[in-house]
Amino acid sequence: MSAASGTTTLLVRNLREGVRSPVIAFVFPVVFPLFLITLVASSYERMAFIPGFPVTPYAAYMAPGLLLFTGMMGSGYSATALVLDAQSGFLDRLRLQPVRPTALLLSRLLFDAIRVVPAVLVVLVVSVLLGARIEQGALGVLGLLLLCSLWSVAYGGFFYIVALRTRNPQAPLAMAPLSVLLLFASPAAAPPLLLQDWLAALTRWNPFTYVIEGVRALMTGPTSGTVTEALLKAVAVLIGMTLVTQLFVIPAFARLVED
């Protein structure tokens, strides 16, 4: 069996596994972003009336960050499942089949990229109903879905590192608050001009900031520079994060397979 067919077979297994546990795999990532876009965006809609606020209405400003936040919710699901596969003996059984173990890791990463798409579409539709817009049209929708999928894979890499290092399926769940910290240390909810100086400086070091600005460029236009510049920065951050996290994930996964 080739690596591609092995990965596809295991990806189908992962999707079936997700369908059997839809609350954790597909429903949970939607709930909190929907809460934020409906209640928080409505409660703070007058922020958009502040002179110099870059985007109106406030829901349109907040939508890019929450679309990406959707990909962060549920991160750790695949990392936890990977450790459980090892503990349940699935990896041992896999060795008896003509499937390369690396196909298991690739199928999990692809599942992370696919899992986020229906959740992002739900949050996107609600955001548009509340006033968000996509000035780049259909290509903009495809672009933001791609950025959200890549962000889910890049951000999820941290959960794989913790899961594979500790080999504790519960450990990734303890990292859930990290998404909230990244969200509020970025321009997702308020532009840097409204933040305290130390927090505005912190947003410049937060990689999440550049991915948000990439999605925002597709939806309401760039806050500075051009759409191409914003997208190039976002893609560079996504590729960099994926490469850095996988440098730790792949050796840890190899040790898990060998043990």
Side-chain angles (χ1 to χ4, degrees), residues 237-248:
V237 167
L238 291 169
I239 292 175
M241 279 183 60
T242 302
L243 290 176
V244 169
T245 53
Q246 293 307 310
L247 282 176
F248 294 92

Side-chain angles (χ1 to χ4, degrees), residues 158-199:
F158 294 106
F159 291 77
Y160 282 97
I161 293 172
V162 172
L164 292 171
R165 289 277 184 174
T166 63
R167 301 191 181 183
N168 180 353
Q170 304 298 324
L173 302 178
M175 297 174 63
L178 178 62
S179 60
V180 179
L181 293 177
L182 287 175
L183 181 71
F184 288 101
S186 75
L193 65 92
L194 298 181
L195 303 177
Q196 293 192 16
D197 291 343
W198 67 269
L199 187 54

Side-chain angles (χ1 to χ4, degrees), residues 40-234:
V40 177
S42 299
S43 301
Y44 291 91
E45 62 179 356
R46 292 188 177 181
M47 280 185 65
F49 300 148
I50 297 174
F53 200 86
V55 176
T56 58
Y58 184 63
Y61 179 82
M62 203 173 181
L66 294 183
L67 292 174
L68 290 162
F69 188 59
T70 304
M72 299 158 81
M73 302 303 296
S75 287
Y77 172 84
S78 291
T80 296
L82 189 61
V83 175
L84 289 174
D85 278 344
Q87 293 182 348
S88 66
F90 180 75
L91 272 176
D92 295 330
R93 295 196 297 274
L94 199 65
R95 292 192 187 98
L96 303 177
Q97 304 296 323
V99 180
R100 297 177 183 176
T102 51
L104 180 60
L105 179 60
L106 287 174
S107 69
R108 287 293 179 189
L109 295 175
L110 287 173
F111 175 75
D112 285 337
I114 295 172
R115 175 185 63 84
V116 73
V117 172
V120 169
L121 287 173
V122 170
V123 178
L124 179 62
V125 169
V126 174
S127 300
V128 170
L129 292 175
L130 292 173
R133 56 191 182 276
I134 308 166
E135 295 182 352
Q136 298 297 321
L139 286 178
V141 174
L142 292 176
L144 71 87
L145 287 176
L146 182 59
L147 289 177
C148 289
S149 291
L150 292 175
W151 172 250
S152 180
V153 173
Y155 178 71
F158 294 106
F159 291 77
Y160 282 97
I161 293 172
V162 172
L164 292 171
R165 289 277 184 174
T166 63
R167 301 191 181 183
N168 180 353
Q170 304 298 324
L173 302 178
M175 297 174 63
L178 178 62
S179 60
V180 179
L181 293 177
L182 287 175
L183 181 71
F184 288 101
S186 75
L193 65 92
L194 298 181
L195 303 177
Q196 293 192 16
D197 291 343
W198 67 269
L199 187 54
L202 188 60
T203 63
R204 290 194 289 273
W205 292 93
N206 185 353
F208 191 35
T209 293
Y210 300 95
V211 188
I212 289 174
E213 293 304 336
V215 175
R216 180 166 288 136
L218 293 172
M219 297 187 73
T220 55
T223 53
S224 64
T226 65
V227 173
T228 302
E229 289 173 352
L231 290 178
L232 286 176
K233 289 178 183 177

